Amino acid sequence: MLELSKKTNLLEKNIYKYSLQDIEEPELYREMFNYEEVPKIAFNHRRVPVNMPEDIWITDPSFRDAQQSMAPYTVKQIVDLYQLLNKLGGPYGVIRQSEFFVYTKKDQEAISKCMELGFRFPEITTWIRAKKEDFQLVKDLGIKETGILVSCSDYHIFKKMGMTRRQAVDYYLETIRDAFEAGVVPRCHLEDITRADFYGFVVPFVNEIMELSRDAGIPVKIRACDTMGYGVPYTEVALPRSVAGIIYGLQTYSGVPSEMLEWHGHNDFYKAVANASTAWLYGACAVNCSLLGIGERTGNIPLEAMVFEYASLRGSMDGMDPTVITEIANYFRKDIGYNIADMSPFVGRNFNVTRAGIHADGLMKVVGEDGRIRTTFQNLVTATGRLSSTEPNLQNIPVRVELGRLIRKVFVPEDGYVFVDADYSQIELRILAHCSGDEQLIEAYRKASDIHRITASQVFNTPFEEVTDLQRRNAK
């Protein structure tokens, strides 16, 4: 039967309905996942269309998934980080939700204090063990949505749960009914989806979930969980490892709308960020990622990375404040005592720092016969009229890193001479203050205040004493 697709506006055949394959023996894909060898990537040369949603966003599991791999946060730390997530996500809620545990008094106190802040974003959601009484606990806390575990690979169903596929589906559907009965929106975590029989189990199972959702009149969210980090972002990769294929299949054959579809990945094979971006590109509105990528084993998708991926794909930060990433990193270092590798993108101390500026071997090539290095100073090159140094450039040797300081030590004046370093202090701004008559600017210079820190305080609406070095540099 033909019908006009509302999505493509073209005549299309009715979508084929996959039925559950209730097999007797588990499908473990041993040809791909042989314990004795590196996991293999198989191709079937089938392409699916790019389908970027109109709206995309980030969700955060830092107070749930991340706490399984480090010392648990205190209540204060959770509240502080939640406030920073709100500040980073901006007024439009690009960081849309944050996920919490609910079982201990500490968990419940943290949720209560975060809810008291009255933030619209990130919305507070939970994750539970999916017992009937747990749904009531979530509802009593005033929370509208909770995650529940619905493992979908035969590794989990047969090996861990000791069930058949049909038994697992029936058990999961009963759990979802319990959520509906409590008036809570369930978010179904399709655990280990990149080792699951996609068309033999995942699609028919999700079809039953969506039918249950329609009957109850309550929406259901679907989170595709790449639990082992086996997902692959390349085109034409065969399922179950194809991220694009998973997102396309859930939308096309199970009718999951983009806004109800979320990707959760792990970084076991260094593909977490690429996989998350692929999920966005092929139709998932949400990607689930934690602060600094902290999570089980090798970690989750780093939230700070997806902030920049978002801006790269959208062409705008859409209200997000990326300077908060530095605040978050400093909080982890100073208040939590968490060690961040210096070379970590966006949050490491050496991010955007050149280790040497000028390579030592490059300097050796320009040493004269008398053992001295001579540069050429140009006064007509820079737009500001400042002197510039060329062949070699001796102005960009870094001072903030140890290697740069060591290289600087090789420059010594000839006997009986000294180096003289002179500069007009903020000469352009001083002229501006004089010509404009700006009272605040003039007063700042009269008091010998840090003009750049004052500017940053006003630009970022931050108290003067709380301005970070990064904010000062950006204002400058």
Side-chain angles (χ1 to χ4, degrees), residues 282-339:
Y282 285 88
C285 278
V287 294
N288 186 244
C289 30
S290 63
L291 292 171
L292 311 189
I294 298 170
E296 293 181 90
R297 301 186 313 280
T298 57
N300 297 340
I301 306 159
L303 185 145
E304 59 277 8
M306 297 315 295
V307 166
F308 284 92
E309 283 290 290
Y310 179 100
S312 297
L313 291 168
R314 292 311 225 198
S316 169
M317 280 287 176
D318 286 341
M320 287 189 291
D321 181 359
T323 65
V324 180
I325 292 172
T326 300
E327 293 183 51
I328 290 170
N330 289 337
Y331 188 89
F332 269 90
R333 288 190 190 95
K334 298 173 183 177
D335 294 77
I336 298 177
Y338 187 83
N339 181 44

Side-chain angles (χ1 to χ4, degrees), residues 192-207:
D192 205 21
I193 197 169
T194 48
R195 289 196 298 178
D197 183 350
F198 190 74
Y199 288 110
F201 179 82
V202 175
V203 166
F205 169 44
V206 175
N207 283 337

